[in-house]
Structures are given as structure tokens and as C-alpha cells.
Amino acid sequence: MHEFSVADAVLERALETAADHGTAIIEELTIELGTATHVNPDQLTFCLETIADGTPAADATVTIDPVEPHARCDCGWDGEPPTLDVSGAVAPNLRCPDCGERLELVRGKECRLSSITVPDADSSAGNGDDPMRIDETGD
Amino acid sequence: MYPTRTRIDIDRSTAYSSRLNTVLATALKIPSTLRCHRFGHDDHEHDHDHGGNEDDVLARFREQAADVHERVVHDNDVTCIEFLGATGSGKTMVLERLAERVPAEERVGVVVGDVAGEDDARRLEEHGVETVTVNTGKECHLDASLVDDAIDSFDLEQLDRLYFENVGNMVCPADFPLGAQTRVLVVSVTEGDDVVRKHPLLFQACDATVVNKADLADAVGADLERMRADVTDVAPGMDVFETNARGDDGVDALADFLDGHEHDHETAHAYE
């Protein structure tokens, strides 16, 4: 039952991002959730909806995108490992299909806020149908 | 109802903090109409750079663990090992047997996680180790921030070894490393010889397995070979130690492994 603390951290990040953009309402939260974790998507959704009460995300739709494991091996193998052949089958098979050594997961263990959807800040202010897009510039 | 919506994509890139600051600094100078704010989205998933995972909650927990690791192992040169597994698997007794093997001149600390009570701490203190009990109350596992607070109670500069004994739990600790060099999963044959198959993600998150109460295998109909084979299937390459901690059998091999593993800890899975 750590979905509550996970939800709390996700919501905090979403509210920060919304505040940075000067919006008072979050309509949707999208979360990428690795399937090689013990975070339960239904419980996470329930916890988020519960603790969002009274915040700008109170009525937000929570969307959870499952992320399947992706692994790499020192031998160069790179791909989605098969599911472990045990009852329940909730874990990846971490034996490299090529060399037999242990794989390391590079995806599948995340719980990442990937986007929030907010109302248009000011649809009459002149940019029309050409939404302003700011790509990261790096430094 | 709102006629239009903005989707704000959250960056996954490694240098997220600095990029976010740059982008926001730019954004704040631009008046209104910020409809689509999309950050870069490159693909450096295996990121250990602190601050690079602000939006990945589980990665942040792992970063907290890495901070504990840095503080204990690197800043203070303390050997740090976590023991986890189900209630009654024998974590505390394995720790007692290891404590008995510690040279007299060494100082040992244990962070003892339990939902309630100080029973384990009392037992360990009889072996001359310093303890800090973390009663998690309504939480089912230790996390790195709890541990970070708990180790304030130790004089880390004077400590030689620090053990974390997690709350008895075979689920949640898989997602919550604590920053130890080595995570040792203690199971017992009395949990059933299918215990490995039932908890694959936890085994994959650990560095060694202790199969305790091995002397009772026949009595409870547990197949030790099956347990070993399951560990190999679930976590290829993982070392397995059969022990009878109460009778002090098999503990030497574990102690030797742990002493050797500390020198190789950068390759461990302990905080990834």
C-alpha cells in the first residue's frame, strides 16, 4: 500500500507544473507506469482522485499508460524481455536470450508524470490556431 | 466547459532541471497564451544523474536511496547491508549470528524497521550493536527518507557496519531500495518452497538470497533444490545461501560473501 505516497508525489509535481503555467485547473493527468513495479494502477488512480480533492486537479481525469519492460545486456542485446514463465507472470525474464547473462531493465520500473492537460490560458489573446510551442533549448 | 486544452508534456531528459529552468525562465517572459508547452523528450532512460528524474516518482525514491548510500558508504566508509523478507523468515536471527562474528573492535549499527514494538532491537542490543528502531505505524516498509532520518542517531564516523532490517514484507520493498551496498532477501522453507515464484520482482531487486530454516525442509516438505532453481530462473546469477540461523549453520558462507561483496558494490542492484 504505497500507492498513497506515490500519488502524493505525482500530484505535488502536477500542481507545481500547473502553477508554473498559471493555470487554476488540471483536466487530465497522464502517468507512465512501469509494469515491473508493484504500484497498482487502479489503486494509484483511486488515491490520486482522492487526494486531489480541493486542489486544482480535483476533477482531473487520471490516465495511466502502462510501460512494458525494456532491457539491455552487456552483450549488446536490446529489447523487450519475455515474461517470466511462472504462475501469475508479473515479472520479466531477466536472462538474456542471446548470451544467458542477466539483463538490466532500462524501462518498466518508472512511475512518471508524463503530461497534464489544462484549459487554454487565454484563447482570445492572439495566437489563434498556432499554439505556442517552446521546445527545450538545452544549454 | 473549456473550448481548448493544453497538454503539457513533462520532460524525461537527463538534464531536466537545468532545461526546465531555462524553459520556464523563457516562458515567464512571454505574456499569456501559453497553449502548448512541450519539453524535449529524449531517451536517456537509465539515468543516475540527480535531479534528472523529477517526474518519475519511483526514480526519486531510488535517488533518495542513492543519497543514503553516498552518505553512509562513501562519506563515512561504513559497510551497509539491508535484510528484508517476510515476518518470521529469520531476518533478526540471521543478523544476530552475523553480529556475533563481527570483530570486537568494530562498531555495528542496525536500523530496525517494524510496524510496532522494539522486540528486535532488544534482541540485537544483546549482541553489542547499537540500534535505532523505526516504527512505521501505518506504513508497511522502510523507505530511504525514513532511513536517512534514523541514521542521524548514529555517529557514522565511528561506525564500521550498518545494517538495515526492513519491515517484514515481500512486496513493497521491491520498489523502495534503501541505499545499502547489498540487499539480502531472507526467506524460510516454512513459507513454502514456492515462495520465490510468488515474489519475482522482489528477488530481482535483491543481491543475495538466504534460504533460512533449511534444517526444517524435510519436515515441512520443502524442496530446497526447487527453491534454488527458482532463484536462478527469476534472478540469474544471484547467490543463494542455505542457513539454519538458530543452529548457526551456513552463516559463515553468508558472512564471507557479504565481506567480499562490499568491495564490489558498485555493480550491485542495491539502489537501482
PDB file of all heavy atoms in Angstrom, chain A residues 13 21 27 38 92 102 111-118 120 125 128 132 134, chain B residues 4-6 8 10 16 33 35-38 55-57 171 175 204 269:
ATOM      1  N   ARG A  13       3.905  17.167  -8.014  1.00  0.00           N
ATOM      2  CA  ARG A  13       4.602  17.570  -9.233  1.00  0.00           C
ATOM      3  C   ARG A  13       3.631  18.189 -10.243  1.00  0.00           C
ATOM      4  O   ARG A  13       3.954  19.177 -10.906  1.00  0.00           O
ATOM      5  CB  ARG A  13       5.285  16.332  -9.840  1.00  0.00           C
ATOM      6  CG  ARG A  13       6.166  16.641 -11.004  1.00  0.00           C
ATOM      7  CD  ARG A  13       7.457  17.319 -10.559  1.00  0.00           C
ATOM      8  NE  ARG A  13       8.181  17.813 -11.727  1.00  0.00           N
ATOM      9  CZ  ARG A  13       8.507  19.076 -11.913  1.00  0.00           C
ATOM     10  NH1 ARG A  13       8.204  19.983 -11.011  1.00  0.00           N
ATOM     11  NH2 ARG A  13       9.158  19.444 -12.986  1.00  0.00           N
ATOM     12  N   HIS A  21       2.576  27.311 -14.884  1.00  0.00           N
ATOM     13  CA  HIS A  21       1.912  27.769 -16.105  1.00  0.00           C
ATOM     14  C   HIS A  21       0.704  28.640 -15.811  1.00  0.00           C
ATOM     15  O   HIS A  21      -0.080  28.940 -16.709  1.00  0.00           O
ATOM     16  CB  HIS A  21       1.513  26.572 -16.969  1.00  0.00           C
ATOM     17  CG  HIS A  21       2.692  25.898 -17.578  1.00  0.00           C
ATOM     18  ND1 HIS A  21       3.494  25.031 -16.866  1.00  0.00           N
ATOM     19  CD2 HIS A  21       3.235  25.991 -18.814  1.00  0.00           C
ATOM     20  CE1 HIS A  21       4.467  24.621 -17.659  1.00  0.00           C
ATOM     21  NE2 HIS A  21       4.338  25.182 -18.836  1.00  0.00           N
ATOM     22  N   GLU A  27      -7.108  19.329 -16.049  1.00  0.00           N
ATOM     23  CA  GLU A  27      -8.200  18.484 -16.538  1.00  0.00           C
ATOM     24  C   GLU A  27      -7.809  17.023 -16.659  1.00  0.00           C
ATOM     25  O   GLU A  27      -8.653  16.138 -16.586  1.00  0.00           O
ATOM     26  CB  GLU A  27      -8.682  18.996 -17.898  1.00  0.00           C
ATOM     27  CG  GLU A  27      -9.303  20.371 -17.795  1.00  0.00           C
ATOM     28  CD  GLU A  27     -10.087  20.741 -19.039  1.00  0.00           C
ATOM     29  OE1 GLU A  27      -9.895  20.077 -20.072  1.00  0.00           O
ATOM     30  OE2 GLU A  27     -10.875  21.686 -18.961  1.00  0.00           O
ATOM     31  N   HIS A  38       5.463  -2.709  -8.275  1.00  0.00           N
ATOM     32  CA  HIS A  38       4.318  -3.179  -7.506  1.00  0.00           C
ATOM     33  C   HIS A  38       3.261  -2.090  -7.327  1.00  0.00           C
ATOM     34  O   HIS A  38       2.380  -2.222  -6.492  1.00  0.00           O
ATOM     35  CB  HIS A  38       4.762  -3.693  -6.139  1.00  0.00           C
ATOM     36  CG  HIS A  38       5.326  -5.077  -6.193  1.00  0.00           C
ATOM     37  ND1 HIS A  38       4.621  -6.145  -6.679  1.00  0.00           N
ATOM     38  CD2 HIS A  38       6.531  -5.558  -5.825  1.00  0.00           C
ATOM     39  CE1 HIS A  38       5.371  -7.234  -6.603  1.00  0.00           C
ATOM     40  NE2 HIS A  38       6.539  -6.913  -6.100  1.00  0.00           N
ATOM     41  N   PRO A  92       9.419  -9.691 -15.685  1.00  0.00           N
ATOM     42  CA  PRO A  92      10.148 -10.018 -16.910  1.00  0.00           C
ATOM     43  C   PRO A  92      11.155 -11.138 -16.659  1.00  0.00           C
ATOM     44  O   PRO A  92      11.647 -11.305 -15.546  1.00  0.00           O
ATOM     45  CB  PRO A  92      10.870  -8.709 -17.230  1.00  0.00           C
ATOM     46  CG  PRO A  92      11.035  -8.038 -15.899  1.00  0.00           C
ATOM     47  CD  PRO A  92       9.845  -8.422 -15.083  1.00  0.00           C
ATOM     48  N   ARG A 102      22.563 -11.914 -17.058  1.00  0.00           N
ATOM     49  CA  ARG A 102      21.432 -11.163 -16.544  1.00  0.00           C
ATOM     50  C   ARG A 102      21.261  -9.835 -17.285  1.00  0.00           C
ATOM     51  O   ARG A 102      22.212  -9.082 -17.479  1.00  0.00           O
ATOM     52  CB  ARG A 102      21.601 -10.897 -15.050  1.00  0.00           C
ATOM     53  CG  ARG A 102      20.470 -10.058 -14.507  1.00  0.00           C
ATOM     54  CD  ARG A 102      20.376 -10.097 -13.018  1.00  0.00           C
ATOM     55  NE  ARG A 102      19.400  -9.103 -12.578  1.00  0.00           N
ATOM     56  CZ  ARG A 102      18.785  -9.137 -11.425  1.00  0.00           C
ATOM     57  NH1 ARG A 102      19.023 -10.104 -10.587  1.00  0.00           N
ATOM     58  NH2 ARG A 102      17.931  -8.199 -11.077  1.00  0.00           N
ATOM     59  N   CYS A 111       7.443   5.358 -12.632  1.00  0.00           N
ATOM     60  CA  CYS A 111       6.098   5.885 -12.366  1.00  0.00           C
ATOM     61  C   CYS A 111       6.221   7.378 -12.588  1.00  0.00           C
ATOM     62  O   CYS A 111       6.592   8.130 -11.697  1.00  0.00           O
ATOM     63  CB  CYS A 111       5.640   5.578 -10.947  1.00  0.00           C
ATOM     64  SG  CYS A 111       4.011   6.249 -10.596  1.00  0.00           S
ATOM     65  N   ARG A 112       5.945   7.765 -13.797  1.00  0.00           N
ATOM     66  CA  ARG A 112       6.349   9.080 -14.256  1.00  0.00           C
ATOM     67  C   ARG A 112       5.156   9.899 -14.718  1.00  0.00           C
ATOM     68  O   ARG A 112       4.381   9.454 -15.565  1.00  0.00           O
ATOM     69  CB  ARG A 112       7.337   8.885 -15.417  1.00  0.00           C
ATOM     70  CG  ARG A 112       7.830  10.136 -16.035  1.00  0.00           C
ATOM     71  CD  ARG A 112       8.822   9.835 -17.155  1.00  0.00           C
ATOM     72  NE  ARG A 112       9.051  11.055 -17.883  1.00  0.00           N
ATOM     73  CZ  ARG A 112       8.324  11.451 -18.912  1.00  0.00           C
ATOM     74  NH1 ARG A 112       7.368  10.700 -19.372  1.00  0.00           N
ATOM     75  NH2 ARG A 112       8.566  12.611 -19.496  1.00  0.00           N
ATOM     76  N   LEU A 113       5.036  11.081 -14.153  1.00  0.00           N
ATOM     77  CA  LEU A 113       4.031  12.017 -14.643  1.00  0.00           C
ATOM     78  C   LEU A 113       4.460  12.464 -16.032  1.00  0.00           C
ATOM     79  O   LEU A 113       5.483  13.128 -16.184  1.00  0.00           O
ATOM     80  CB  LEU A 113       3.949  13.223 -13.701  1.00  0.00           C
ATOM     81  CG  LEU A 113       2.990  14.331 -14.102  1.00  0.00           C
ATOM     82  CD1 LEU A 113       1.554  13.842 -14.038  1.00  0.00           C
ATOM     83  CD2 LEU A 113       3.179  15.548 -13.214  1.00  0.00           C
ATOM     84  N   SER A 114       3.718  12.088 -17.053  1.00  0.00           N
ATOM     85  CA  SER A 114       4.179  12.398 -18.407  1.00  0.00           C
ATOM     86  C   SER A 114       3.542  13.655 -18.968  1.00  0.00           C
ATOM     87  O   SER A 114       4.139  14.333 -19.784  1.00  0.00           O
ATOM     88  CB  SER A 114       3.936  11.219 -19.354  1.00  0.00           C
ATOM     89  OG  SER A 114       2.574  10.871 -19.369  1.00  0.00           O
ATOM     90  N   SER A 115       2.312  13.967 -18.557  1.00  0.00           N
ATOM     91  CA  SER A 115       1.737  15.232 -19.016  1.00  0.00           C
ATOM     92  C   SER A 115       0.548  15.611 -18.160  1.00  0.00           C
ATOM     93  O   SER A 115      -0.060  14.765 -17.493  1.00  0.00           O
ATOM     94  CB  SER A 115       1.299  15.140 -20.481  1.00  0.00           C
ATOM     95  OG  SER A 115       0.125  14.360 -20.595  1.00  0.00           O
ATOM     96  N   ILE A 116       0.264  16.886 -18.151  1.00  0.00           N
ATOM     97  CA  ILE A 116      -1.001  17.358 -17.593  1.00  0.00           C
ATOM     98  C   ILE A 116      -1.715  18.160 -18.674  1.00  0.00           C
ATOM     99  O   ILE A 116      -1.076  18.768 -19.532  1.00  0.00           O
ATOM    100  CB  ILE A 116      -0.819  18.218 -16.322  1.00  0.00           C
ATOM    101  CG1 ILE A 116      -0.011  19.471 -16.622  1.00  0.00           C
ATOM    102  CG2 ILE A 116      -0.192  17.407 -15.211  1.00  0.00           C
ATOM    103  CD1 ILE A 116       0.051  20.427 -15.425  1.00  0.00           C
ATOM    104  N   THR A 117      -3.020  18.078 -18.659  1.00  0.00           N
ATOM    105  CA  THR A 117      -3.813  18.853 -19.612  1.00  0.00           C
ATOM    106  C   THR A 117      -4.553  19.934 -18.847  1.00  0.00           C
ATOM    107  O   THR A 117      -5.193  19.647 -17.835  1.00  0.00           O
ATOM    108  CB  THR A 117      -4.820  17.944 -20.334  1.00  0.00           C
ATOM    109  OG1 THR A 117      -4.099  16.894 -20.975  1.00  0.00           O
ATOM    110  CG2 THR A 117      -5.615  18.719 -21.374  1.00  0.00           C
ATOM    111  N   VAL A 118      -4.423  21.155 -19.332  1.00  0.00           N
ATOM    112  CA  VAL A 118      -5.040  22.290 -18.643  1.00  0.00           C
ATOM    113  C   VAL A 118      -5.864  23.091 -19.648  1.00  0.00           C
ATOM    114  O   VAL A 118      -5.633  22.998 -20.855  1.00  0.00           O
ATOM    115  CB  VAL A 118      -3.960  23.206 -18.007  1.00  0.00           C
ATOM    116  CG1 VAL A 118      -3.149  22.419 -16.996  1.00  0.00           C
ATOM    117  CG2 VAL A 118      -3.069  23.830 -19.061  1.00  0.00           C
ATOM    118  N   ASP A 120      -7.081  26.115 -21.929  1.00  0.00           N
ATOM    119  CA  ASP A 120      -6.322  27.146 -22.618  1.00  0.00           C
ATOM    120  C   ASP A 120      -6.247  28.383 -21.738  1.00  0.00           C
ATOM    121  O   ASP A 120      -7.249  28.859 -21.211  1.00  0.00           O
ATOM    122  CB  ASP A 120      -7.044  27.480 -23.933  1.00  0.00           C
ATOM    123  CG  ASP A 120      -6.160  28.314 -24.824  1.00  0.00           C
ATOM    124  OD1 ASP A 120      -5.134  28.837 -24.325  1.00  0.00           O
ATOM    125  OD2 ASP A 120      -6.494  28.445 -26.006  1.00  0.00           O
ATOM    126  N   ALA A 125      -6.268  35.645 -27.033  1.00  0.00           N
ATOM    127  CA  ALA A 125      -5.134  36.574 -26.944  1.00  0.00           C
ATOM    128  C   ALA A 125      -4.229  36.586 -28.163  1.00  0.00           C
ATOM    129  O   ALA A 125      -3.133  37.081 -28.118  1.00  0.00           O
ATOM    130  CB  ALA A 125      -4.299  36.276 -25.709  1.00  0.00           C
ATOM    131  N   GLY A 128      -4.220  32.425 -31.989  1.00  0.00           N
ATOM    132  CA  GLY A 128      -5.116  31.685 -32.854  1.00  0.00           C
ATOM    133  C   GLY A 128      -4.871  30.194 -32.825  1.00  0.00           C
ATOM    134  O   GLY A 128      -4.706  29.602 -31.774  1.00  0.00           O
ATOM    135  N   MET A 132       1.531  28.206 -29.230  1.00  0.00           N
ATOM    136  CA  MET A 132       2.926  28.499 -28.959  1.00  0.00           C
ATOM    137  C   MET A 132       3.608  27.232 -28.455  1.00  0.00           C
ATOM    138  O   MET A 132       3.136  26.573 -27.557  1.00  0.00           O
ATOM    139  CB  MET A 132       3.007  29.586 -27.888  1.00  0.00           C
ATOM    140  CG  MET A 132       4.430  29.998 -27.586  1.00  0.00           C
ATOM    141  SD  MET A 132       4.431  31.362 -26.428  1.00  0.00           S
ATOM    142  CE  MET A 132       3.589  32.597 -27.402  1.00  0.00           C
ATOM    143  N   ILE A 134       7.162  25.729 -27.132  1.00  0.00           N
ATOM    144  CA  ILE A 134       8.520  26.024 -26.686  1.00  0.00           C
ATOM    145  C   ILE A 134       9.255  24.709 -26.504  1.00  0.00           C
ATOM    146  O   ILE A 134       8.949  23.933 -25.613  1.00  0.00           O
ATOM    147  CB  ILE A 134       8.509  26.798 -25.347  1.00  0.00           C
ATOM    148  CG1 ILE A 134       7.704  28.083 -25.506  1.00  0.00           C
ATOM    149  CG2 ILE A 134       9.925  27.103 -24.905  1.00  0.00           C
ATOM    150  CD1 ILE A 134       7.516  28.823 -24.212  1.00  0.00           C
TER     151      ILE A 134
ATOM    152  N   THR B   4     -10.761  24.834 -25.402  1.00  0.00           N
ATOM    153  CA  THR B   4      -9.482  24.240 -25.820  1.00  0.00           C
ATOM    154  C   THR B   4      -8.700  23.789 -24.598  1.00  0.00           C
ATOM    155  O   THR B   4      -8.935  24.239 -23.484  1.00  0.00           O
ATOM    156  CB  THR B   4      -8.627  25.243 -26.599  1.00  0.00           C
ATOM    157  OG1 THR B   4      -8.464  26.417 -25.793  1.00  0.00           O
ATOM    158  CG2 THR B   4      -9.264  25.610 -27.906  1.00  0.00           C
ATOM    159  N   ARG B   5      -7.796  22.929 -24.839  1.00  0.00           N
ATOM    160  CA  ARG B   5      -6.985  22.397 -23.754  1.00  0.00           C
ATOM    161  C   ARG B   5      -5.520  22.450 -24.126  1.00  0.00           C
ATOM    162  O   ARG B   5      -5.166  22.416 -25.299  1.00  0.00           O
ATOM    163  CB  ARG B   5      -7.343  20.933 -23.478  1.00  0.00           C
ATOM    164  CG  ARG B   5      -8.728  20.765 -22.972  1.00  0.00           C
ATOM    165  CD  ARG B   5      -9.070  19.324 -22.857  1.00  0.00           C
ATOM    166  NE  ARG B   5     -10.373  19.183 -22.237  1.00  0.00           N
ATOM    167  CZ  ARG B   5     -10.991  18.035 -22.062  1.00  0.00           C
ATOM    168  NH1 ARG B   5     -10.402  16.935 -22.453  1.00  0.00           N
ATOM    169  NH2 ARG B   5     -12.162  17.988 -21.495  1.00  0.00           N
ATOM    170  N   THR B   6      -4.734  22.518 -23.132  1.00  0.00           N
ATOM    171  CA  THR B   6      -3.294  22.458 -23.349  1.00  0.00           C
ATOM    172  C   THR B   6      -2.764  21.202 -22.699  1.00  0.00           C
ATOM    173  O   THR B   6      -3.125  20.875 -21.589  1.00  0.00           O
ATOM    174  CB  THR B   6      -2.608  23.687 -22.706  1.00  0.00           C
ATOM    175  OG1 THR B   6      -3.144  24.855 -23.291  1.00  0.00           O
ATOM    176  CG2 THR B   6      -1.114  23.628 -22.933  1.00  0.00           C
ATOM    177  N   ILE B   8       0.542  19.548 -21.374  1.00  0.00           N
ATOM    178  CA  ILE B   8       1.909  19.900 -21.007  1.00  0.00           C
ATOM    179  C   ILE B   8       2.699  18.615 -20.851  1.00  0.00           C
ATOM    180  O   ILE B   8       2.452  17.830 -19.947  1.00  0.00           O
ATOM    181  CB  ILE B   8       1.941  20.708 -19.703  1.00  0.00           C
ATOM    182  CG1 ILE B   8       1.097  21.984 -19.871  1.00  0.00           C
ATOM    183  CG2 ILE B   8       3.374  21.044 -19.320  1.00  0.00           C
ATOM    184  CD1 ILE B   8       0.881  22.725 -18.584  1.00  0.00           C
ATOM    185  N   ILE B  10       5.802  16.420 -19.952  1.00  0.00           N
ATOM    186  CA  ILE B  10       6.855  16.548 -18.956  1.00  0.00           C
ATOM    187  C   ILE B  10       8.094  15.845 -19.467  1.00  0.00           C
ATOM    188  O   ILE B  10       8.051  14.718 -19.916  1.00  0.00           O
ATOM    189  CB  ILE B  10       6.415  15.916 -17.623  1.00  0.00           C
ATOM    190  CG1 ILE B  10       4.993  16.360 -17.258  1.00  0.00           C
ATOM    191  CG2 ILE B  10       7.402  16.247 -16.537  1.00  0.00           C
ATOM    192  CD1 ILE B  10       4.839  17.797 -16.916  1.00  0.00           C
ATOM    193  N   TYR B  16      17.091  17.496 -16.926  1.00  0.00           N
ATOM    194  CA  TYR B  16      15.781  18.111 -16.865  1.00  0.00           C
ATOM    195  C   TYR B  16      15.764  19.392 -16.054  1.00  0.00           C
ATOM    196  O   TYR B  16      15.191  20.399 -16.458  1.00  0.00           O
ATOM    197  CB  TYR B  16      14.777  17.124 -16.278  1.00  0.00           C
ATOM    198  CG  TYR B  16      13.404  17.713 -16.148  1.00  0.00           C
ATOM    199  CD1 TYR B  16      12.656  17.994 -17.288  1.00  0.00           C
ATOM    200  CD2 TYR B  16      12.903  18.038 -14.915  1.00  0.00           C
ATOM    201  CE1 TYR B  16      11.416  18.566 -17.178  1.00  0.00           C
ATOM    202  CE2 TYR B  16      11.655  18.598 -14.800  1.00  0.00           C
ATOM    203  CZ  TYR B  16      10.904  18.861 -15.938  1.00  0.00           C
ATOM    204  OH  TYR B  16       9.680  19.432 -15.820  1.00  0.00           O
ATOM    205  N   THR B  33      -1.306  33.279 -23.317  1.00  0.00           N
ATOM    206  CA  THR B  33      -1.477  32.344 -24.447  1.00  0.00           C
ATOM    207  C   THR B  33      -0.427  31.255 -24.534  1.00  0.00           C
ATOM    208  O   THR B  33       0.089  30.971 -25.589  1.00  0.00           O
ATOM    209  CB  THR B  33      -1.493  33.093 -25.801  1.00  0.00           C
ATOM    210  OG1 THR B  33      -0.233  33.691 -26.033  1.00  0.00           O
ATOM    211  CG2 THR B  33      -2.595  34.113 -25.813  1.00  0.00           C
ATOM    212  N   ARG B  35      -0.301  27.941 -24.821  1.00  0.00           N
ATOM    213  CA  ARG B  35      -1.263  26.857 -25.014  1.00  0.00           C
ATOM    214  C   ARG B  35      -0.608  25.486 -25.047  1.00  0.00           C
ATOM    215  O   ARG B  35      -1.155  24.525 -24.567  1.00  0.00           O
ATOM    216  CB  ARG B  35      -2.041  27.082 -26.314  1.00  0.00           C
ATOM    217  CG  ARG B  35      -2.908  28.313 -26.248  1.00  0.00           C
ATOM    218  CD  ARG B  35      -3.623  28.526 -27.551  1.00  0.00           C
ATOM    219  NE  ARG B  35      -4.442  27.379 -27.887  1.00  0.00           N
ATOM    220  CZ  ARG B  35      -4.852  27.112 -29.113  1.00  0.00           C
ATOM    221  NH1 ARG B  35      -4.491  27.895 -30.112  1.00  0.00           N
ATOM    222  NH2 ARG B  35      -5.613  26.083 -29.358  1.00  0.00           N
ATOM    223  N   CYS B  36       0.506  25.429 -25.693  1.00  0.00           N
ATOM    224  CA  CYS B  36       1.154  24.132 -25.798  1.00  0.00           C
ATOM    225  C   CYS B  36       2.584  24.242 -25.322  1.00  0.00           C
ATOM    226  O   CYS B  36       3.392  24.912 -25.943  1.00  0.00           O
ATOM    227  CB  CYS B  36       1.138  23.654 -27.250  1.00  0.00           C
ATOM    228  SG  CYS B  36       1.977  22.082 -27.456  1.00  0.00           S
ATOM    229  N   HIS B  37       2.826  23.637 -24.238  1.00  0.00           N
ATOM    230  CA  HIS B  37       4.176  23.705 -23.696  1.00  0.00           C
ATOM    231  C   HIS B  37       4.741  22.303 -23.691  1.00  0.00           C
ATOM    232  O   HIS B  37       4.369  21.464 -22.896  1.00  0.00           O
ATOM    233  CB  HIS B  37       4.131  24.273 -22.279  1.00  0.00           C
ATOM    234  CG  HIS B  37       5.469  24.662 -21.772  1.00  0.00           C
ATOM    235  ND1 HIS B  37       5.682  25.771 -21.021  1.00  0.00           N
ATOM    236  CD2 HIS B  37       6.675  24.088 -21.933  1.00  0.00           C
ATOM    237  CE1 HIS B  37       6.956  25.873 -20.730  1.00  0.00           C
ATOM    238  NE2 HIS B  37       7.587  24.843 -21.264  1.00  0.00           N
ATOM    239  N   ARG B  38       5.606  22.102 -24.639  1.00  0.00           N
ATOM    240  CA  ARG B  38       6.158  20.758 -24.769  1.00  0.00           C
ATOM    241  C   ARG B  38       7.655  20.822 -24.559  1.00  0.00           C
ATOM    242  O   ARG B  38       8.367  21.535 -25.247  1.00  0.00           O
ATOM    243  CB  ARG B  38       5.859  20.212 -26.166  1.00  0.00           C
ATOM    244  CG  ARG B  38       6.381  18.821 -26.368  1.00  0.00           C
ATOM    245  CD  ARG B  38       6.119  18.368 -27.795  1.00  0.00           C
ATOM    246  NE  ARG B  38       6.669  17.062 -28.004  1.00  0.00           N
ATOM    247  CZ  ARG B  38       6.046  15.946 -27.673  1.00  0.00           C
ATOM    248  NH1 ARG B  38       4.865  16.000 -27.106  1.00  0.00           N
ATOM    249  NH2 ARG B  38       6.611  14.780 -27.877  1.00  0.00           N
ATOM    250  N   ASP B  55      10.100  13.880 -12.467  1.00  0.00           N
ATOM    251  CA  ASP B  55       8.733  13.465 -12.752  1.00  0.00           C
ATOM    252  C   ASP B  55       8.520  11.980 -12.583  1.00  0.00           C
ATOM    253  O   ASP B  55       7.402  11.514 -12.673  1.00  0.00           O
ATOM    254  CB  ASP B  55       8.390  13.880 -14.182  1.00  0.00           C
ATOM    255  CG  ASP B  55       8.692  15.336 -14.369  1.00  0.00           C
ATOM    256  OD1 ASP B  55       8.111  16.137 -13.631  1.00  0.00           O
ATOM    257  OD2 ASP B  55       9.544  15.659 -15.201  1.00  0.00           O
ATOM    258  N   ASP B  56       9.593  11.237 -12.374  1.00  0.00           N
ATOM    259  CA  ASP B  56       9.464   9.805 -12.129  1.00  0.00           C
ATOM    260  C   ASP B  56       9.552   9.589 -10.625  1.00  0.00           C
ATOM    261  O   ASP B  56      10.621   9.646 -10.031  1.00  0.00           O
ATOM    262  CB  ASP B  56      10.575   9.053 -12.867  1.00  0.00           C
ATOM    263  CG  ASP B  56      10.439   7.546 -12.711  1.00  0.00           C
ATOM    264  OD1 ASP B  56       9.712   7.098 -11.802  1.00  0.00           O
ATOM    265  OD2 ASP B  56      11.076   6.822 -13.481  1.00  0.00           O
ATOM    266  N   VAL B  57       8.402   9.345 -10.042  1.00  0.00           N
ATOM    267  CA  VAL B  57       8.328   9.268  -8.585  1.00  0.00           C
ATOM    268  C   VAL B  57       9.199   8.131  -8.054  1.00  0.00           C
ATOM    269  O   VAL B  57       9.931   8.287  -7.075  1.00  0.00           O
ATOM    270  CB  VAL B  57       6.860   9.063  -8.153  1.00  0.00           C
ATOM    271  CG1 VAL B  57       6.778   8.791  -6.673  1.00  0.00           C
ATOM    272  CG2 VAL B  57       6.045  10.273  -8.529  1.00  0.00           C
ATOM    273  N   VAL B 171       6.531  -7.459  -0.695  1.00  0.00           N
ATOM    274  CA  VAL B 171       6.003  -6.770  -1.863  1.00  0.00           C
ATOM    275  C   VAL B 171       6.661  -5.394  -2.031  1.00  0.00           C
ATOM    276  O   VAL B 171       7.495  -5.178  -2.908  1.00  0.00           O
ATOM    277  CB  VAL B 171       4.465  -6.643  -1.780  1.00  0.00           C
ATOM    278  CG1 VAL B 171       3.920  -5.928  -3.010  1.00  0.00           C
ATOM    279  CG2 VAL B 171       3.826  -8.024  -1.662  1.00  0.00           C
ATOM    280  N   ASP B 175      10.144  -1.832  -4.696  1.00  0.00           N
ATOM    281  CA  ASP B 175      10.150  -0.505  -5.314  1.00  0.00           C
ATOM    282  C   ASP B 175      10.856   0.545  -4.458  1.00  0.00           C
ATOM    283  O   ASP B 175      10.949   1.693  -4.863  1.00  0.00           O
ATOM    284  CB  ASP B 175       8.711  -0.037  -5.570  1.00  0.00           C
ATOM    285  CG  ASP B 175       7.993  -0.891  -6.603  1.00  0.00           C
ATOM    286  OD1 ASP B 175       8.674  -1.451  -7.470  1.00  0.00           O
ATOM    287  OD2 ASP B 175       6.754  -0.992  -6.529  1.00  0.00           O
ATOM    288  N   GLN B 204      14.264 -10.007  -7.884  1.00  0.00           N
ATOM    289  CA  GLN B 204      15.029  -9.284  -8.905  1.00  0.00           C
ATOM    290  C   GLN B 204      15.630  -7.990  -8.367  1.00  0.00           C
ATOM    291  O   GLN B 204      16.586  -7.464  -8.937  1.00  0.00           O
ATOM    292  CB  GLN B 204      14.137  -9.000 -10.118  1.00  0.00           C
ATOM    293  CG  GLN B 204      13.775 -10.269 -10.878  1.00  0.00           C
ATOM    294  CD  GLN B 204      12.869 -10.028 -12.071  1.00  0.00           C
ATOM    295  OE1 GLN B 204      12.340  -8.930 -12.249  1.00  0.00           O
ATOM    296  NE2 GLN B 204      12.683 -11.056 -12.887  1.00  0.00           N
ATOM    297  N   HIS B 269      22.729  -4.300  -7.362  1.00  0.00           N
ATOM    298  CA  HIS B 269      21.435  -3.756  -7.747  1.00  0.00           C
ATOM    299  C   HIS B 269      20.802  -2.984  -6.600  1.00  0.00           C
ATOM    300  O   HIS B 269      19.643  -2.630  -6.656  1.00  0.00           O
ATOM    301  CB  HIS B 269      20.489  -4.885  -8.146  1.00  0.00           C
ATOM    302  CG  HIS B 269      21.063  -5.768  -9.193  1.00  0.00           C
ATOM    303  ND1 HIS B 269      21.499  -7.034  -8.941  1.00  0.00           N
ATOM    304  CD2 HIS B 269      21.315  -5.530 -10.500  1.00  0.00           C
ATOM    305  CE1 HIS B 269      21.984  -7.559 -10.048  1.00  0.00           C
ATOM    306  NE2 HIS B 269      21.885  -6.670 -11.010  1.00  0.00           N
TER     307      HIS B 269
END
